[in-house]
Amino acid sequence: MSQNISRRDFNKLLVSGVAGSALGLFGMARPAFAAQNRIVVIGGGFGGASAAKYLKKLDPSMSVTLVEPKAIFYTCPFSNWVLGGMKTMEDIGQTYTILKNKYGVNVIADTATGIDTVKSTVTLKSGKVLNYDRLIVSPGIDFKWNAIEGYSESVSNSSMPHAYQAGPQTVRLQKQLLAMKDGGTVLMCPPGNPFRCPPGPYERASLIAHYLKEKKPKSKIIILDAKDKFSKQGLFKKGWERLYPGMIEWRSGATGGKITGVNASSMSVMTEFGTEKGDVINIIPPQQAGKIAFDAGLTDASGWCPINPITFESIIQPGIHVIGDAAIAGAMPKSGFAASSQGKVVAASIIRLCQGKVPAPPSLVNTCYSLLGPGYGVSVAGVYKLTSAGIVEIPGSGGLTPMDADDDHLNEEAMFARGWYNNIVQDIWG
Amino acid sequence: MQVTIRSLLTACLVSSALLGMGNEASAAAKSVQEQKAEEACVVDPRGEILSLSCASCHGTDGKSVGIIPSFYGKSPEYLEAALKDFRSGTRYSTVMIRHAKGYSDEEIRLIAQYFGTVWQNNK
């Protein structure tokens, strides 16, 4: 079971959660009616910014502090569009001005360096200390730098970018693509599951192919994959044959795709079957929860954070809610949409808890659009609820764009992908 | 064991359904108009939690800024019928059919009630 909670744990969770809260015991260390409902949110990405905004939108009396070091947050969604030459970095940069000025979120441009779970405080890099009644941790991902021999943070910052946290990494990969000669080879190496944005690497391959087809048509892309199958595989492979015949080669883990190491000076990667050289090499390393989650003891042996799926409260540290990519959220993928959906559920639940009321059962959604070309979009949707098996997808709902979707449908989904981006960033940061 | 889990899950749902009871009981003594006016302002927590995700594609409170249809200002009746038509496939969609199939009649009613009234509270 992906959720990693046994039936007995689920019983305990409901007993302590629902029955407990009915008796006013929810979050025992925290009074049901705190004098000030001080909520601190660590991380201003899709999860954290959604939680901060919706806490204030649903209950303006809440005191909400958002800790995020970046003045401009570049979204991973649509960063592949930048690589494809269809968007600029400016298009995908979000700021916190409206959260601050319109919604009254106290935005602090700083990095959370420590959490004291006994004193209920967060220490910032500047030395400042914040007190909280409830804490939301939305730290995103970190990379496992020791997982691929020769691939370090400094290699990622020079010859082989990951571009899997948008920003300077995206710019680096784009510059390398722009500088590559026609007839060059782009190597892309996605990790095994679980990782952030399961269709992300394959949308990236598609949009790099779009750029190459227009500007450097003799070039090719080889995807050396740690996995034997990937998200929306049928839809991607069909689209690649139609739009970019012969340009994208995908090798599964079982057929030599799994990489064991890299050599930055010779621009090559090692697989179980031999060595591959590339002119541009994009390594997407295996991932784990963001650093602060480890430092605060919120992670389990998997490297991710187990949570109570009703309120996303950590099952290790009471009073701390973990959302987004870092959380183990059952059947939900690690996506920006999922993180935002969780941020809203947490906001609504925390408001109920602060009022001494029972949170409503969670209802969660995910929709991920992937663009294969400017007028060629596909999607995967999911509606999720809580059962004794954790957060599961509701049978009969969700799923993929049909394999036999016609060109009008694919074009409409490409337009909706743009519409989705405009609305989700407005819903979170606007 | 199975029975225990089921009854606990039921408890979770029932206890949250009971949340609204106080409002309903106190509303009993009021006129129909007063009751309706109050309903528009009292947000059902179940409806709220079912509805919030919709805003990611359709905009905050259903007010879209892009090509995806807006439903801000629509009535609960309109929204309920639209969601049911998407679910049955009577109304064409690319992705809405996949979403709508995830909700029961009761959940669709709650979502329609939420978005059909939330804009009135913004006035």
Side-chain angles (χ1 to χ4, degrees), chain A residues 251-263:
Chain A
R251 283 183 214 162
S252 69
T255 59
K258 192 173 166 43
I259 64 165
T260 53
V262 305
N263 186 328

Side-chain angles (χ1 to χ4, degrees), chain A residues 10-24:
Chain A
F10 186 71
N11 272 350
K12 278 198 307 209
L13 179 154
L14 280 178
V15 170
S16 66
V18 176
S21 68
L23 299 169

Side-chain angles (χ1 to χ4, degrees), chain B residues 17-76:
Chain B
L18 289 173
L19 301 170
M21 283 227 338
N23 300 327
E24 282 162 30
S26 62
K30 293 172 186 166
S31 74
V32 177
Q33 283 89 344
E34 279 175 328
Q35 220 170 304
K36 280 205 164 172
E38 200 161 281
E39 270 172 24
C41 300
V42 175
V43 175
D44 184 314
R46 290 168 304 156
E48 180 180 85
I49 219 142
L50 284 160
S51 302
L52 293 177
S53 293
C54 306
S56 297
C57 290
H58 290 277
T60 308
D61 295 339
K63 201 185 273 181
S64 175
V65 295
I67 194 169
I68 294 178
S70 217
F71 51 72
Y72 186 82
K74 301 282 189 198
S75 69

Side-chain angles (χ1 to χ4, degrees), chain A residues 86-152:
Chain A
M86 298 145 67
K87 289 275 176 193
T88 64
M89 288 303 286
E90 197 185 347
D91 292 332
I92 63 163
Q94 310 301 331
T95 68
Y96 300 93
T97 315
I98 293 174
L99 287 186
K100 205 188 293 185
N101 295 345
K102 184 175 169 191
Y103 289 92
V105 175
N106 176 28
V107 182
I108 300 181
D110 205 336
T111 304
T113 52
I115 298 168
D116 187 325
T117 55
V118 177
K119 290 184 189 155
S120 294
T121 58
V122 176
T123 305
L124 307 181
K125 203 174 179 180
S126 62
K128 196 176 159 99
V129 176
L130 305 172
N131 294 292
Y132 66 82
D133 296 305
R134 285 191 177 270
L135 176 63
I136 300 173
V137 179
S138 187
I141 56 159
D142 230 331
F143 298 107
K144 295 182 178 174
W145 294 114
N146 53 355
I148 299 166
E149 199 187 330
Y151 195 67
S152 60

